[in-house]
Amino acid sequence: MPAVTEVITALEQAYPPELAESWDAIGLVCGDPAEQVDQVLVCVDPVDETVEEAIELGAQLIVAHHPLMLRGVHGVAADTTKGRLVHRMIRAGVALYCAHTNADSASPGVSDALAGALGLRVLKPLDANADGVTGIGRIGELPETEPFAEFVARVARALPKTEPGVFGAGDATRPIKTVAVSGGAGDSYLKQATAAGVDAYVTADLRHHAAGEHLAGGGPALVGVTHWASEWPWCEQASGVIRVAFPGTVDVHVSTRRTDPWNIRAEN
């Protein structure tokens, strides 16, 4: 069986730490790097539900996309939300490793996984780094042009169900062939999507004013999804990295627990 540190090495070859933003908090959060691993859980959020899932599976390692401690802390007392999780993982012998913006920018990375789920052929990054290969978001194309309303339905079928669902903004009959995607909060890349000349842009956490001004300015149609749903396809991608690196020695599980915070929907 590999050690935690060996699994991390495989993940960091796929998602190089140098690709992370300077403000990010990636890497091993807790756990013994020398501990042997035969069960891994991959998830978007390191929260109560996924920690419980890992313990139930007997996993020695959680690989999460979102950091547990994005902002600096002075302690991890068990009477705080995040401290409680750290104590619980340590007591259960579960290590936590987080790959965040390094996984966003890697090629393939979070947005490649989202594009693949939607059936897009990836062409290039939406906002490329100097190498022209890595960077935030992806631009891709559909096999065939389809009306915007059908494309919105495609997105809904491809991603896990959430209470807010999937919503579109644009002409229902608009032909869609080229698409930009960005896993996670992506309305800061609306200008790049417009400059790319794509027909539609799929992302999460779209804000009212930013979206309205974008559409008024003639930008591509918008498809909004929840943050968690947009990044969930990455879990299978990251799982594949581990399976390839340690064939037959590590069982890798993709979390099936919906950790999207929006859990109630009321019709009006």
Side-chain angles (χ1 to χ4, degrees), residues 10 51 82 87 107 117 125 134 154 167 173 191 203 227 256 268:
V51 170
K82 294 184 178 183
H87 281 260
S107 179
T134 60
R154 170 193 287 266
F167 46 91
T173 64
K191 290 182 179 178
T203 192
H227 196 116
T256 57
N268 57 5

Side-chain angles (χ1 to χ4, degrees), residues 146-200:
E146 62 190 33
F148 181 54
E150 289 185 17
F151 178 69
V152 175
R154 170 193 287 266
V155 175
R157 290 192 301 270
L159 297 182
K161 180 179 173 57
T162 61
E163 288 305 321
V166 173
F167 46 91
D171 182 348
T173 64
R174 177 175 180 166
I176 305 298
K177 176 68 173 179
T178 57
V179 179
V181 301
S182 182
D187 66 8
S188 59
Y189 297 97
L190 288 169
K191 290 182 179 178
Q192 288 89 332
T194 300
V198 297
D199 302 314

Side-chain angles (χ1 to χ4, degrees), residues 42-258:
V42 183
C43 61
V44 175
D45 299 302
V47 292
D48 282 318
E49 294 88 342
T50 49
V51 170
E52 178 64 29
E53 187 177 12
I55 293 171
E56 289 175 3
L57 288 168
Q60 300 86 18
L61 174 64
I62 296 172
V63 176
H65 179 49
H66 289 150
L68 178 62
M69 298 177 182
L70 187 56
R71 295 174 178 83
V73 297
H74 298 290
V76 287
D79 60 353
T80 64
T81 299
K82 294 184 178 183
R84 183 180 70 250
L85 283 178
V86 170
H87 281 260
R88 190 175 185 198
M89 286 185 284
I90 291 173
R91 289 183 182 129
V94 179
L96 171 63
Y97 175 82
C98 301
H100 191 212
T101 54
N102 52 323
D104 288 330
S105 286
S107 179
V110 170
S111 290
D112 294 279
L114 175 57
L118 302 184
L120 300 173
R121 181 174 69 90
V122 172
L123 302 175
K124 58 183 179 179
L126 173 61
D127 189 53
N129 292 333
D131 60 11
V133 176
T134 60
I136 298 297
R138 293 295 182 266
I139 295 172
E141 63 179 11
L142 293 166
E144 302 290 340
T145 300
E146 62 190 33
F148 181 54
E150 289 185 17
F151 178 69
V152 175
R154 170 193 287 266
V155 175
R157 290 192 301 270
L159 297 182
K161 180 179 173 57
T162 61
E163 288 305 321
V166 173
F167 46 91
D171 182 348
T173 64
R174 177 175 180 166
I176 305 298
K177 176 68 173 179
T178 57
V179 179
V181 301
S182 182
D187 66 8
S188 59
Y189 297 97
L190 288 169
K191 290 182 179 178
Q192 288 89 332
T194 300
V198 297
D199 302 314
Y201 178 39
V202 182
T203 192
D205 300 344
L206 286 164
R207 292 170 296 173
H208 175 86
H209 293 297
E213 291 170 6
H214 164 84
L215 293 170
L222 298 177
V223 181
V225 300
T226 70
H227 196 116
W228 172 79
S230 74
E231 294 177 329
W232 187 81
W234 171 82
C235 295
E236 184 57 44
Q237 182 194 94
S239 297
V241 170
I242 301 171
R243 292 188 187 107
V244 169
F246 307 102
T249 60
V250 179
D251 288 331
V252 190
H253 308 267
V254 170
S255 176
T256 57
R257 302 196 182 178
R258 187 174 70 188

